[in-house]
Amino acid sequence: TSTYVLKPADLARFVKVTVTWAKTGNGDTPALSAATAVVAAGTFATPPVPTISGTVIVGETLTANEGTWSPTQDSFTYVWQWSATTTGTYAAISGATGKSYALQPTDRGRFIKVVVTAVKSGFTSGVGTSIASAAANALFTTAPTPTIAVAGGTAAAVGKVLTATTGAWSPTTITTPSAGTIAYTYVWKRNGSAITGATAASYTLVAADLGAAITVAVTATLNTYVTTTKESTATANVIKGAFTTSPTPVITGTPVAGQVLGITLGTWAPVQDSFAYQWSVNGAAVTDGTGVATTYTVKVADAGLPITVTVTAKKTGYDDMSKTSLATGLVTLPLIATAPTPTFTPTTLLKPGATLTANPGAAPTGAVVKGYQWSRATTSTGVYTNIPDATLSTYTLTGTDAAKYLKVTVTWSKAGNADTPKLSAATMLIAVGTFTATAIPTITGSVNVGSTVTANEGAWTPSPDSYTYKWYISTTSTGTYTLITGAANRTYQVAPGDVNKFLKVEITAVKTGYTTSAAFRSAATAAVGPALPQ
């Protein structure tokens, strides 16, 4: 034909073309051209860039994809290369000359290229080099399934802390091609779906987890190793939690009819959503509206009974927790608020024998005086002790009251109120009493040696508790009297030495709370005579 495509057999040869002409009346006439230049080797069009398929993981096989060459090649040759950096100098991998290459442990961290050479007879070989692969990673030698531990070793319950245990991964550190240490990340899942924000090694179960199964996915990352995720087995379905701190409530206020009682709740853990309240009187729940409030107004009908309150903490995802307070003391009726402070008369010159009169004060509406009680103390601010049988509105001071202070308690009574005692101020210090002698002592009996004479004490106001006696003797009835040693009784036996002498007796009165009286002497006896005949 008029065209000819050079063939590999023409390489290094010369080519001519003969054109044959034809004309009527003439013979065919061939005409030979000059020779071409020597035929050179052909060249491929711009070589395509080969690609690499396959997963760049140690143990996996990479395959060279040569691309489309023009003209069509007779065959390809391959050289696989590696470099420590993506832009570094690539060296041929010994023996790696096939279309595919299985990554070796020594390739971990290396970047891989493939050089593809297209071969065709009569053509200069074409060379195409792929772009570098990603760095080859290795699989972890050991990648255990993580486990979940529940705080306290109990069932998974709302409020409990779950902790992921990664297990023993291998390796955990490397030194080549660059140093690195394994890192773990966590994703907690509820029924298979990731829980927003739950990315720490531990997770505290919340109300939304109730009834769900929980897993944790642990992802291990280490330079030149394949990032690997392992997921734990699921927990049992999460159950309701329990309060970890549930203090016993304390009732505040005074258990008196009309008073308002309150509650000190204490600090609960976890923090409750709400509280419910139930007040009880003597163990019976209060069923009106006051029984479910934070306060309770004590009723008159509660008198003599104890009160408790049960507080129930509520929180979504938790079992309700109830705690009951200690009981109050028995409820009492209120005192009469307007009960007056009593007074007494007289307020001065008080000593044994004086009579005190209590003045209760103005009676509150509907109230009456129920009783009186007088009491005494050794100091005005000391402890006052009730005086036995001193329960009238009047009280006559006795010797026992001397050098002491007295008060009077007036007790008021009113329907709907407790008996209300009101205590007066203290008296002044009760003075010591004094005696009054209304008759001089006398001596009776025969004034003769051997006879017994008796002292008659006379008359005293008030009546003494006891007397003391002293006997005196004188040579004349109006002379100086001398104390008779040892003569200290109410009676005296006249002695022989007393003949023709005169006797007197001196008496002193003694009483608790009174000053000892002045000594009073009797008149002289007649002169002592001799003993009377037998």
Side-chain angles (χ1 to χ4, degrees):
T1 62
S2 61
T3 60
Y4 173 68
V5 178
L6 294 170
K7 299 177 176 58
D10 302 322
L11 181 64
R13 296 183 178 184
F14 299 87
V15 178
K16 289 183 178 181
V17 63
T18 298
V19 178
T20 300
W21 295 90
K23 183 178 179 182
T24 302
N26 294 88
D28 288 345
T29 304
L32 184 63
S33 70
T36 63
V38 66
V39 176
T43 58
F44 286 98
T46 303
V49 177
T51 59
I52 298 173
S53 62
T55 305
V56 191
I57 296 175
V58 172
E60 296 290 329
T61 297
L62 303 181
T63 300
N65 302 306
E66 303 88 351
T68 301
W69 293 74
S70 181
T72 303
Q73 75 291 335
D74 293 338
S75 62
F76 292 109
T77 63
Y78 308 88
V79 174
W80 292 87
Q81 300 175 331
W82 69 269
S83 174
T85 64
T86 186
T87 58
T89 300
Y90 283 77
I93 302 172
S94 177
T97 57
K99 180 179 174 65
S100 297
Y101 173 64
L103 291 167
Q104 303 300 307
T106 54
D107 295 322
R108 180 173 60 83
R110 292 176 173 179
F111 297 86
I112 305 297
K113 286 184 178 182
V114 65
V115 178
V116 175
T117 300
V119 179
K120 186 174 180 66
S121 179
F123 280 74
T124 301
S125 296
V127 177
T129 302
S130 72
I131 63 173
S133 70
N137 286 335
L139 294 173
F140 284 97
T141 305
T142 305
T145 299
T147 58
I148 296 175
V150 182
T154 56
V158 175
K160 289 289 186 179
V161 176
L162 304 182
T163 300
T165 300
T166 61
W169 290 67
S170 179
T172 56
T173 59
I174 58 171
T175 57
T176 58
S178 59
T181 301
I182 195 169
Y184 300 104
T185 58
Y186 308 86
V187 175
W188 292 88
K189 297 180 181 181
R190 178 189 302 125
N191 285 342
S193 297
I195 302 169
T196 302
T199 57
S202 293
Y203 171 66
T204 302
L205 294 168
V206 297
D209 299 321
L210 185 62
I214 304 297
T215 57
V216 64
V218 175
T219 299
T221 304
L222 181 62
N223 184 34
T224 70
Y225 280 81
V226 177
T227 297
T228 303
T229 299
K230 301 288 282 188
E231 188 163 341
S232 70
T233 57
T235 65
N237 290 347
V238 176
I239 62 175
K240 285 186 176 183
F243 286 93
T244 55
T245 303
S246 52
T248 299
V250 176
I251 294 177
T252 60
T254 307
V256 175
Q259 294 295 307
V260 177
L261 303 181
I263 313 170
T264 297
L265 296 170
T267 301
W268 292 65
V271 176
Q272 74 293 332
D273 293 337
S274 63
F275 285 118
Y277 310 91
Q278 179 61 63
W279 293 86
S280 298
V281 177
N282 201 33
V286 178
T287 56
D288 61 20
T290 62
V292 293
T294 57
T295 60
Y296 175 69
T297 301
V298 183
K299 303 176 179 63
V300 172
D302 300 334
L305 303 175
I307 295 176
T308 58
V309 65
T310 299
V311 174
T312 300
K314 298 175 178 290
K315 187 174 181 67
T316 302
Y318 285 75
D319 288 320
D320 292 349
M321 173 65 77
S322 297
K323 295 302 285 285
T324 300
S325 69
L326 295 176
T328 65
L330 301 183
V331 171
T332 60
L333 296 174
L335 298 176
I336 303 169
T338 56
T341 298
T343 60
F344 51 82
T345 55
T347 58
T348 59
L349 301 177
L350 300 180
K351 62 182 181 178
T355 297
L356 296 174
T357 300
N359 175 21
T365 301
V368 296
V369 173
K370 184 175 182 179
Y372 301 86
Q373 178 62 62
W374 296 85
S375 57
R376 67 167 73 94
T378 55
T379 64
S380 62
T381 58
V383 176
Y384 282 75
T385 303
N386 288 344
I387 302 172
D389 300 323
T391 56
L392 301 177
S393 61
T394 60
Y395 175 70
T396 300
L397 296 171
T398 68
T400 305
D401 301 318
K404 294 183 177 64
Y405 297 83
L406 272 69
K407 290 184 178 182
V408 64
T409 298
V410 176
T411 299
W412 293 88
S413 177
K414 181 181 179 180
N417 293 86
D419 289 347
T420 304
K422 298 295 287 186
L423 186 64
S424 71
T427 64
M428 63 181 294
L429 183 65
I430 306 300
V432 177
T434 56
F435 286 105
T436 301
T438 57
I440 300 301
T442 59
I443 298 173
T444 58
S446 175
V447 190
N448 291 91
V449 174
S451 297
T452 298
V453 291
T454 299
N456 299 308
E457 296 86 358
W460 300 77
T461 302
S463 178
D465 294 338
S466 62
Y467 300 94
T468 61
Y469 305 89
K470 293 181 180 179
W471 291 87
Y472 291 86
I473 194 166
S474 176
T475 56
T476 65
S477 64
T478 58
T480 300
Y481 282 76
T482 303
L483 179 66
I484 302 173
T485 302
N489 296 318
R490 187 176 183 231
T491 59
Y492 174 69
Q493 187 174 27
V494 181
D498 299 336
V499 173
N500 295 323
K501 295 180 181 178
F502 298 87
L503 300 174
K504 284 186 178 183
V505 68
E506 184 177 270
I507 294 180
T508 301
V510 177
K511 189 176 182 64
T512 300
Y514 284 73
T515 57
T516 300
S517 70
F520 288 88
R521 286 188 184 182
S522 65
T525 62
V528 173
L532 296 174
Q534 296 298 315

